[in-house]
């Protein structure tokens, strides 16, 4: 007897995860309820558990979803830039649009603004947050190391130190966006970091 296919899913997993991700981003992990997730995704609790696991498992999937989105956005922002200064400027422009879009809700970064509250008591969330930080550090350091190889950054330039300064600025604007600081103030923080970068680059041109 020919087996019949099972019933197709009545929801789009990617769309449901996107909606859950935005709810976690807005409310954080602890303040997001299963009822809220069910309403946001259009799924009942049994379907949520079957599709994504418990709330913690869904939050970890949301963190990974947001990380992948941010990685794609930042990757596109720095691609084909002619100089490291332009690449870093594009990186921060993308970050501002992601964390505090013009005319949109300024929610900051899901990882930097919500996972930090849970990391001290949850090893899996701490590992996920550490991974996000390492990716940010690695992307920025790679830009500066490439600049050193091209001669844009002096041979004795501190690529690691500069990358950590830029990463700290990124973390700061994510948190400040979440705190409701006006975008012009976030842009001022970015401008200061870019000024420090250009100062380091100018030593090579001197």
């Amino acid at each position: 007897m020919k087996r019949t296919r099972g019933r197709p899913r009545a929801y789009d997993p990617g769309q449901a995860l996107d909606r859950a991700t935005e709810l976690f981003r807005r409310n954080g992990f602890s303040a997001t309820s299963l009822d809220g997730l069910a309403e946001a995704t259009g799924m009942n609790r049994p379907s949520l558990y079957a599709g994504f696991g418990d709330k913690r498992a869904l939050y970890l999937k949301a963190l990974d979803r947001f990380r992948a989105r941010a990685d794609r956005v930042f990757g596109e922002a720095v691609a084909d830039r002619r100089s490291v200064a332009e690449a870093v400027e594009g990186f921060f422009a993308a970050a501002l649009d992601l964390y505090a879009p013009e005319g949109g809700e300024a929610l900051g970064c899901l990882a930097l603004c919500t996972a930090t509250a849970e990391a001290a008591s949850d090893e899996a969330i701490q590992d996920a947050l550490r991974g996000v930080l390492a990716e940010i550090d690695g992307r920025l350091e790679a830009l500066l190391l490439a600049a050193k190889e091209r001669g844009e950054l002096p041979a004795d330039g501190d690529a690691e130190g500069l990358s950590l300064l830029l990463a700290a600025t990124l973390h700061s604007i994510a948190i400040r966006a979440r705190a409701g600081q006006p975008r012009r103030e976030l842009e001022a923080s970015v401008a200061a970091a870019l000024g420090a970068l250009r100062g380091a680059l100018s030593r090579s041109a001197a």
Side-chain angles (χ1 to χ4, degrees), residues 5-88:
R5 293 182 178 179
R7 292 182 61 188
R9 286 174 170 164
Y11 68 98
D12 181 320
Q15 186 178 72
L17 185 53
D18 283 340
R19 291 174 177 172
T21 298
E22 287 308 298
L23 188 64
F24 279 127
R25 190 181 174 200
R26 181 175 296 106
N27 297 338
F29 175 76
S30 297
T32 298
S33 67
L34 284 171
D35 286 340
L37 288 166
E39 181 178 357
T41 60
M43 301 166 63
N44 57 34
R45 285 196 184 192
S47 295
L48 273 174
Y49 278 112
F52 300 106
D54 61 14
K55 187 176 89 165
R56 178 173 173 273
L58 179 52
Y59 179 71
L60 288 169
K61 288 181 174 67
L63 279 174
D64 191 59
R65 185 79 163 185
F66 188 84
R67 179 205 58 75
R69 176 188 172 194
D71 189 59
R72 183 178 64 254
V73 167
F74 292 149
E76 292 172 353
V78 304
D80 301 323
R81 298 283 181 164
R82 290 178 296 177
S83 69
V84 67
E86 289 181 353
V88 173

